[in-house]
Amino acid sequence: MAQAWKCSGLRWSADGPVLVWDGGRRSALARGKRVAFAVAEGGVRTCVGARGHACPVGAAVPGRSTGARCEECARLDRAHSVAADTIADDPRPYHVYLAWFGPGMVKVGITAEERGSARLLEQGAVCFSWLGVGPLMAARRMEELLRAALRVPDRIPYAEKRAVRAALPETAADRAREVTELHDRAVRLPAWPESLVREPLRVVDHVGVFGLADAPVAVGGVSELVAGGVVGGELVAAAGPDLHLATGGGVVVLDTRLMTGWGLVPAAGDELTVPVRQFRDAAGVQDGLF
């Protein structure tokens, strides 16, 4: 019987997307690579735990959950999280950024300066610019200021980001326009926090990094993995947690967050035997799975 592996999620490195497996093994995901795996027969998706600790009860979690955590582990994970606004004393400097995901979709967010642009790649930001840098609480105040004064959200549902990916403007200048306009308005706000240093406009475009310029339009997305199900295809693009896979039925998007919590084994071919939601406007012991 093939060894089952457990995926810890997709990470973005300087060289591109990488799948990380429990135990630390990594699988680089270059475009053109064949990605194929099956969910172990009779398998059950279990909670991934919280903050590096296993779930004490090994709770089962729904196949459609992108968090793959039971209620208790999800609560523990949020209990010490910048994203959940439960940390106020982090001494590290933070960047405030403006991220654009498609027409009419700009958000404000913060990320530790030491992380560079990794957070933007993880979110699938098509382009972004830094707005300011400073202490955590000053960065938080800037987020609040943009929400109140300019009505800029700090969250955009991921399904909405994915839906507009097939209709992006062709030129980098057009993709940068909304970020440019918002940056100009933001730096002129009178209540700018004193300890937050303004950053000049410098729009970074990720279309080339993601491979979206030449990728065929996706026809659907994997809804969930199921025991015994198979996913296989050629990687044509990757954005945020999503892999765009060319299969026999067209390009299908796999949100790699759906892989966590399952026992996965190698597979062959370019087939899909897991539930796929069609997009409305579409057309021995191994060293690792890939």
Side-chain angles (χ1 to χ4, degrees):
M1 180 180 295
Q3 178 185 357
W5 294 78
K6 287 208 168 185
C7 182
S8 301
L10 185 70
R11 304 289 183 270
W12 282 86
S13 71
D15 298 321
V18 176
L19 276 177
V20 181
W21 306 94
D22 285 6
R25 185 174 296 279
R26 292 170 171 255
S27 300
L29 295 173
R31 287 197 292 277
K33 185 181 184 72
R34 189 178 69 86
V35 175
F37 63 87
V39 181
E41 289 282 356
V44 175
R45 192 184 191 198
T46 55
C47 174
V48 297
R51 310 197 64 77
H53 300 286
C55 177
V57 297
V61 292
R64 293 176 182 259
S65 166
T66 55
R69 287 188 174 92
C70 67
E71 184 175 343
E72 179 63 16
C73 286
R75 184 188 66 78
L76 291 173
D77 193 62
R78 290 192 301 267
H80 192 73
S81 166
V82 170
D85 203 17
T86 55
I87 297 177
D89 57 354
D90 190 334
R92 297 176 297 171
Y94 275 78
H95 263 134
V96 182
Y97 61 80
L98 297 172
W100 184 86
F101 300 91
M105 288 189 183
V106 185
K107 62 157 282 187
V108 58
I110 69 172
T111 184
E113 184 182 31
E114 64 189 31
R115 295 205 68 209
S117 61
R119 178 65 177 151
L120 285 304
L121 292 165
E122 292 166 358
Q123 291 186 44
V126 176
C127 64
F128 80 95
S129 177
W130 303 127
L131 180 60
V133 63
L136 173 59
M137 296 314 294
R140 281 292 189 211
R141 286 196 297 274
M142 193 66 208
E143 273 192 312
E144 292 290 343
L145 179 60
L146 263 67
R147 284 199 295 265
L150 302 182
R151 298 187 182 280
V152 182
D154 64 343
R155 288 179 177 81
I156 295 176
Y158 202 85
E160 295 180 18
K161 303 177 189 177
R162 186 181 294 125
V164 299
R165 211 174 276 159
L168 299 175
E170 291 187 4
T171 69
D174 286 337
R175 293 192 292 269
R177 183 165 293 116
E178 289 182 70
V179 168
T180 300
E181 293 173 352
L182 187 57
H183 188 283
D184 181 64
R185 295 173 64 196
V187 296
R188 290 187 284 111
L189 288 172
W192 189 282
E194 291 183 5
S195 56
L196 196 72
V197 178
R198 288 172 172 81
E199 292 271 23
L201 175 70
R202 191 177 294 111
V203 179
V204 178
D205 192 285
H206 286 153
V207 163
V209 176
F210 291 155
L212 296 174
D214 303 319
V217 174
V219 299
V222 173
S223 301
E224 62 179 315
L225 301 186
V226 293
V230 177
V231 174
E234 177 187 332
L235 183 65
V236 295
D242 288 347
L243 302 182
H244 292 230
L245 303 176
T247 72
V251 173
V252 173
V253 178
L254 168 65
D255 185 336
T256 54
R257 295 174 298 179
L258 297 175
M259 296 170 64
T260 57
W262 287 106
L264 306 176
V265 297
D270 295 334
E271 64 175 334
L272 285 173
T273 62
V274 296
V276 173
R277 177 179 60 84
Q278 296 298 313
F279 293 157
R280 283 180 294 179
D281 298 329
V285 176
Q286 301 82 10
D287 289 334
L289 285 179
F290 311 124

